[in-house]
Amino acid sequence: MWGRLWPLLLSILTATAVPGPSLRRPSRELDATPRMTIPYEELSGTRHFEGQAQNYSTLLLEEASARLLVGARGALFSLSANDIGDGAHKEIHWEASPEMQSKCHQKGKNNQTECFNHVRFLQRLNSTHLYACGTHAFQPLCAAIDAEAFTLPTSFEEGKEKCPYDPARGFTGLIIDGGLYTATRYEFRSIPDIRRSRHPHSLRTEETPMHWLNDAEFVFSVLVRESKASAVGDDDKVYYFFTERATEEGSGSFTQSRSSHRVARVARVCKGDLGGKKILQKKWTSFLKARLICHIPLYETLRGVCSLDAETSSRTHFYAAFTLSTQWKTLEASAICRYDLAEIQAVFAGPYMEYQDGSRRWGRYEGGVPEPRPGSCITDSLRSQGYNSSQDLPSLVLDFVKLHPLMARPVVPTRGRPLLLKRNVRYTHLTGTPVTTPAGPTYDLLFLGTADGWIHKAVVLGSGMHIIEETQVFREPQSVENLVISLMQHSLYVGAPSGVIQLPLSSCSRYRSCYDCILARDPYCGWDPGTHACMAATTIANRSQGSRTALIQDIERGNRGCESSRDTGPPPPLKTRSVLRGDDVLLPCDQPSNLARALWLLNGSMGLSDGQSGYRVGVDGLLVTDAQPEHSGNYGCYAEENGLRTLLASYSLVVRPATPAPAPKAPDTPGAQLAPDVRLLYVLAIAALGGLCLILASSLLYVACLREGRRGRRRKYSLGRASRAGGSAVQLQTVSGQCPGEEDEGDEEEGAGGLEGSCLQIIPGEGAPAPPPPPPPLPPAELTNGLVALPSRLRRMNGNSYVLLRQSNNGVPAGPCSFAEELSRILEKRKHTQLVEQLDESSV
Ligand SMILES: *[C@@H]1O[C@H](CO)[C@@H](O)[C@H](O)[C@H]1NC(C)=O
Ligand SMILES: *[C@@H]1O[C@H](CO)[C@@H](O)[C@H](O)[C@H]1NC(C)=O
Ligand SMILES: *[C@@H]1O[C@H](CO)[C@@H](O)[C@H](O)[C@H]1NC(C)=O
Ligand SMILES: *[C@@H]1O[C@H](CO)[C@@H](O)[C@H](O)[C@H]1NC(C)=O
Ligand SMILES: *[C@@H]1O[C@H](CO)[C@@H](O)[C@H](O)[C@H]1NC(C)=O
Ligand SMILES: *[C@@H]1O[C@H](CO)[C@@H](O)[C@H](O)[C@H]1NC(C)=O
């Protein structure tokens, strides 16, 4: 239902969208389901660090010394990058004094969250020292820390110009040639600013007559060495990414706009900027900003940015994660866009915006632009004209800079559209690295952290993004606050409120067959026909220098290369199922890949489709209801993915004729024993109840949609696009009731019907758009009539079937399981699971 609502919602939004480059494509096309889901319980190869502190949000990796430095609340840690959990860490305790904390509390701040020393800045200062700043209970302090001794110095530096007061504010900072370049909301009043301090020429942004920044929340900054190999003697530049209030939209006053619309921005300054002499004294003379567009007007809140190839400016590009704009608070969705530095440079070299006093709005500036071009860095040609530094720039130019900080053209993403639109996910941070495959091509590998403690690993392809896997790295849902990649350690470090996690960048051995290895499309992994294993591509590249074995990889398409290889893995063992005529039997078959479609073949050829003569195909198996002798045969369960087919399980099913049951057989129809008029009454009551439930369920679903479905531990995805489009496809998601004393419900039912108790399974309704109504109340007499009667009765209930998995021979289950108990438990479970799971497939 929601799946149908969403495009509608989109189209409404699209119709009212502000004019701009056409960046909208059907969002479904850009959605990507993570191929593998690795819940916390199945996580392996990770290392943890958890100290006494909280909020491990600042990470600094020093590859040369193999240390991971961590800034937390009230503490700094130096961990071994090789194994952060090896117990050999160093710690600096750095908390605000109780007096400071109570002073902070008196100023009206929360002493449970804000009045601590949150370390927000941690960078290498020089060859011997690190530099750290903390919020220090709303009185920021900084310190130069001896990296070797790892102890606090005796004297501190004022942190007012370098660190936010409020720990919850966005912050980004760099140390470049000894100078601190920080951007955040400063001071008690939370003034947004980009500042340079600890430098002979301290600089900040202009506030009069207009604010260059408006309620900006900073996300990321990076130095791009544009001076390197520059033909024109260009300067290095620092780029800033943030979200701010859009003053240019709608009519607004000169400095203050009534618009509360927030947009994403990119700004830049020149490293060699010294400020102006009379005009723009101690202010940036090279500040320019531009709007950053990903998918407007939906996704405008910037959450994370990472830069790739920042060392070579001609190839520098960025990836940015956006979430829905603030008016969509109740929905969770994210977008990923890529930007090329060349595009950003072109925008900064283009037309400016101007506030037009007459119309009292912002518009494109059409007048003459003074020379040298306002906002540009000092280049060779300027130097030859006698402009040795920004202090030599003419007043005309600086006056222009003061009033024209914003560019007219927005920065549009590479390919003009997002790489990914992801529903039900809020990305909070991202990082990435280019991976060069043995065959030559380089792919960007991204790691995206979510607000609930998952990491998505994705590869950027020509066609979009492929999410290789989603990994739950924290048991308790919590926001991923920082991500750092170490190529030397082949590790990803994740900073979060409760601790730091170290994950391997790839685990190729997880893929057991050539097909599995190829389908994963992990640029770090390739199939080695020599060793018959999915191997890390880097080790192969080294080793094969002698043997020259070609590694099989197909990142771009993900399905070619294994044709000649016989490495399909060992065939699954043939399991035998023997049941009585009329029984229901589930042949379990879990699809390890969320992108695979289940395919069942009978006797090697006949494809079984859902609903066909007693068969139901689900994500976890094939259900044969009311088995008949003609159902006997060999069943093969295949995974069909990306044009490849692999055998996952095979069963031999034997249906034996039923022996006469000693217990009274259940009546065929629920009301068979009742008088016709009573039956009619029942039908009416059931119909009324059903209608009521339908209304209730739809409103429940609606409410649940608004509140967004929280996922279960293990995420289930639909069987692919086709079934989603088909509408009436059945999602068979079974919830098995746990029978006491039994572990494995599917695998031990071989041989003649055992008497070890029975289990119920629930199958959601047959593609009903709304959750089907709960079963009508049963006449009490029937319940006492014998438990065996219950399942066959349940099976006939409209929309829901309760299926007896193991039906005992004589109808008297010996186990301690009570169907009535089982039923209420399952019903209770279903209320939660089904709503949520259904939402998951097709909600926002
Ligand atoms: C916070 O302040 C309240 C009221 O002054 C006090 O009772 C409480 O102990 C303080 N909590 C902490 C952690 O300092
Ligand atoms: C590094 O900076 C610290 C703090 O400013 C200073 O004490 C130290 O001498 C510097 N070290 C070097 C090698 O410049
Ligand atoms: C610190 O961690 C707690 C959870 O432990 C979280 O609620 C809080 O928002 C975090 N604070 C900051 C500034 O990140
Ligand atoms: C710029 O530098 C050159 C050479 O260093 C010098 O001759 C010239 O006077 C300087 N110009 C200004 C405006 O300072
Ligand atoms: C590759 O091999 C060289 C020597 O043959 C070795 O020094 C290097 O560490 C190896 N690199 C990797 C990634 O294994
Ligand atoms: C499948 O094969 C079995 C025996 O091998 C046979 O009894 C059964 O009828 C076959 N089923 C179909 C549908 O061909």
Side-chain angles (χ1 to χ4, degrees), residues 22-38:
S22 173
L23 298 170
R24 280 167 229 98
R25 293 270 299 269
S27 61
R28 196 169 280 172
E29 217 174 289
L30 298 170
D31 196 3
T33 297
R35 182 170 181 271
M36 304 276 281
T37 301
I38 303 156

Side-chain angles (χ1 to χ4, degrees), residues 297-377:
L298 282 172
Y299 299 87
E300 301 219 68
T301 310
L302 201 56
R303 293 291 171 187
V305 177
C306 66
S307 62
L308 275 81
D309 293 322
E311 290 301 307
T312 325
S313 62
S314 60
R315 284 190 291 140
T316 303
H317 55 283
F318 307 94
Y319 290 96
F322 295 80
T323 56
L324 290 173
S325 311
T326 40
Q327 65 265 36
W328 298 96
K329 261 192 200 82
T330 51
L331 301 176
E332 273 191 0
S334 300
I336 305 292
C337 277
R338 179 196 143 122
Y339 304 93
D340 289 312
L341 179 67
E343 158 73 4
I344 299 176
Q345 287 169 331
V347 168
F348 286 136
Y352 301 86
M353 285 281 257
E354 184 175 56
Y355 184 76
Q356 284 144 1
D357 288 300
S359 59
R360 302 189 61 206
R361 39 188 326 139
W362 285 80
R364 185 183 169 129
Y365 173 75
E366 305 284 3
V369 175
E371 273 296 318
R373 186 182 158 87
S376 57
C377 301

Side-chain angles (χ1 to χ4, degrees), residues 36-44 454-455 468-473 507 510-511 594 713-714:
M36 304 276 281
T37 301
I38 303 156
Y40 186 81
E41 294 74 21
E42 291 169 23
L43 207 54
S44 63
W454 290 70
I455 302 291
I468 297 164
E469 63 197 22
E470 55 173 355
T471 309
Q472 186 184 24
V473 292
S507 316
R510 178 182 299 142
Y511 309 114
N594 298 316
R713 190 172 52 78
R714 174 113 202 178

Side-chain angles (χ1 to χ4, degrees), residues 194 226 234 236-240 242 266-270 273 284-290 344-345 348-349 373-377:
I194 293 173
E226 289 175 56
D234 203 353
D236 293 338
K237 300 186 186 78
V238 187
Y239 289 84
Y240 292 90
F242 53 99
V266 54
R268 74 108 209 265
V269 295
C270 303
D273 198 341
W284 298 103
T285 64
S286 54
F287 176 89
L288 292 174
K289 66 177 181 181
I344 299 176
Q345 287 169 331
F348 286 136
R373 186 182 158 87
S376 57
C377 301

Side-chain angles (χ1 to χ4, degrees), residues 3 35 58 101 104 147 171 215 243 250 254 267 284 363 417 724 740 772 789:
R35 182 170 181 271
T58 308
Q101 296 195 6
C104 168
F171 172 86
D215 297 339
T243 304
F254 191 48
W284 298 103
R417 61 184 169 94
R724 197 183 287 173

Side-chain angles (χ1 to χ4, degrees), residues 204-225:
R204 52 170 67 187
T205 59
E206 184 59 285
E207 290 189 290
T208 53
M210 76 169 70
H211 297 284
W212 284 356
L213 296 164
N214 299 284
D215 297 339
E217 279 296 326
F218 291 92
V219 168
F220 179 74
S221 60
V222 62
L223 170 74
V224 181
R225 300 226 175 252

